[in-house]
């Protein structure tokens, strides 16, 4: 009986996981190729030059604008590789890392959030504003950290080397995406089948209440903070499609995850190059809580004025 239930979960999960993986790759591969061209032809530095003056108000040198703009188009691995080729202190690295942890991979992650109940422009606005607010606050409260980050020497490959590096990494990415998404979908179906998700919802309910979220969002919150928005997209889109989360619940979760996601792997990657990990986790979590409660207040104000207007019209 248990074997039949397990195989039934796998049978249900595989088609959904394969469709989601293909959708994900159809977006990811062209985007990553386009970014490779931008990087090779040195276009990203030109784009970032427009943002350079702003970064001086955030306690960062002009080179930080290049790293931030690159993060918007790419991922955390690229950001770390770029940071280690430039001269930043630990303090500058913390500020810049938090900005990039909030605002990275815009194209893919914004499309995921759009498919799960939020508008693309709002998600982009929340993440950009969140990055700037976090940087401004950290610049005001961070102690002096004059130590230099570990660095490496930048290497400029030819176009063929850049292309084959992109091709190799893309092929590995395809394998990784299929493996992770299929595994997550099967695990989610099994947890649901055997009642674990209900137990998780009850266990995390007090924490979700503090965050301004519903208990039913617990599993998606765990996914977003472990595997991240991109790899957790299959489950998130499946929840949205099946109506397991109401639209407003999904929108609140998106607001939280837009600012605070992948709280395990990404900070640990930055820790490897010498950044204190708690400064990368706690500010984003606090900001995410504030963003969600601001969204709920916004809805309440809108409801109040709509009700008043309806009453005035009826009179």
């Amino acid at each position: 009986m248990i074997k039949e239930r397990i195989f039934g979960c796998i049978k249900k999960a595989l088609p959904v996981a394969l469709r989601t993986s293909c959708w994900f790759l159809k977006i990811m591969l062209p985007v990553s190729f386009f970014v490779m061209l931008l990087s090779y032809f040195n276009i990203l530095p030109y784009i970032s030059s427009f943002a350079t003056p702003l970064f001086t108000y955030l306690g960062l040198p002009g080179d930080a604008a290049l790293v931030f703009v690159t993060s918007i188009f790419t991922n955390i691995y690229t950001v770390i590789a770029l940071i280690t080729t430039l001269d930043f202190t630990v303090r500058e690295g913390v500020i810049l890392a938090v900005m990039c942890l909030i605002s990275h991979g815009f194209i893919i992650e914004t499309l995921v959030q759009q498919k799960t109940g939020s508008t693309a422009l709002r998600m982009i606005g929340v993440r950009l504003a969140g990055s700037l607010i976090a940087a401004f606050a950290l610049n005001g409260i961070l102690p002096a950290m004059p130590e230099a980050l570990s660095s490496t020497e930048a290497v400029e490959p030819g176009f063929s080397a850049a292309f084959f590096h992109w091709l190799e990494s893309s092929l590995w990415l395809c394998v990784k995406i299929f493996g992770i998404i299929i595994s997550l979908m099967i695990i989610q179906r099994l947890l649901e089948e055997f009642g674990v998700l209900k137990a998780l919802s009850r266990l995390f309910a007090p924490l979700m209440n503090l965050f301004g979220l519903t208990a039913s969002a617990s599993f998606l919150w765990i996914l977003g903070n472990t595997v991240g928005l991109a790899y957790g997209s299959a489950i998130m889109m499946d929840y949205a499609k099946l109506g397991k989360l109401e639209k407003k619940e999904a929108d609140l979760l998106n607001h939280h995850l837009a600012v605070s996601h992948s709280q395990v792997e990404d900070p640990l990657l930055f820790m490897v190059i010498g950044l204190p990990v708690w400064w990368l986790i706690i500010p984003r979590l606090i900001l995410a809580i504030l963003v969600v409660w601001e969204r709920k207040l916004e809805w309440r104000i809108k409801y109040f004025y709509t009700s008043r207007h309806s009453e005035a019209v009826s009179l």
Side-chain angles (χ1 to χ4, degrees), residues 302-315:
K302 185 177 179 180
Y303 175 76
F304 173 77
Y305 279 104
T306 303
S307 301
R308 292 287 299 271
H309 179 71
S310 299
E311 290 176 6
V313 170
S314 63
L315 291 175

Side-chain angles (χ1 to χ4, degrees), residues 1 8 24 33 39 55 58 63 70 77 103 140 154 179 184 189 197 206 233-234 274 286:
M1 182 67 177
F24 194 73
F33 182 72
S39 179
F55 281 71
L58 304 175
D63 287 343
T70 301
Y77 296 97
S103 294
L184 286 175
R189 299 285 183 178
L197 286 187
S233 62
I286 293 172

Side-chain angles (χ1 to χ4, degrees), residues 88-104:
F88 292 110
T89 65
V90 171
R91 189 180 194 276
E92 292 167 347
V94 168
I95 297 173
L96 184 54
V98 170
M99 291 183 74
C100 294
L101 284 167
I102 296 172
S103 294
H104 66 268

Side-chain angles (χ1 to χ4, degrees), residues 80-208:
I80 291 174
L82 189 54
I83 284 178
T84 56
T85 65
L86 300 169
D87 295 321
F88 292 110
T89 65
V90 171
R91 189 180 194 276
E92 292 167 347
V94 168
I95 297 173
L96 184 54
V98 170
M99 291 183 74
C100 294
L101 284 167
I102 296 172
S103 294
H104 66 268
F106 265 23
I107 299 174
I108 305 298
E109 293 183 355
T110 300
L111 286 173
V112 169
Q113 293 193 301
Q114 187 178 32
K115 272 185 166 286
T116 53
S118 301
T119 61
L121 284 177
R122 185 174 181 95
M123 288 297 96
I124 291 172
V126 165
R127 295 178 76 176
L128 285 175
S131 293
L132 296 174
I133 291 169
F136 183 79
L138 285 171
N139 187 40
I141 65 175
L142 274 176
M145 301 176 184
E147 303 88 356
L149 287 175
S150 57
S151 61
T152 58
E153 188 176 346
V155 177
E156 293 292 338
F159 182 78
S160 59
F163 174 77
F164 282 110
H165 174 72
W166 169 82
L167 185 62
E168 181 184 358
S169 61
S170 295
L171 290 173
W172 167 239
L173 181 67
C174 292
V175 175
K176 189 177 178 181
I177 284 173
F178 276 108
I180 290 175
I181 289 181
I182 289 171
S183 300
L184 286 175
M185 288 296 294
I186 292 172
I187 290 169
Q188 183 261 335
R189 299 285 183 178
L190 289 171
L191 293 177
E192 193 170 46
E193 177 68 23
F194 291 98
V196 179
L197 286 187
K198 288 183 179 179
L200 282 175
S201 295
R202 289 194 297 270
L203 180 65
F204 280 84
L207 186 63
M208 294 299 103

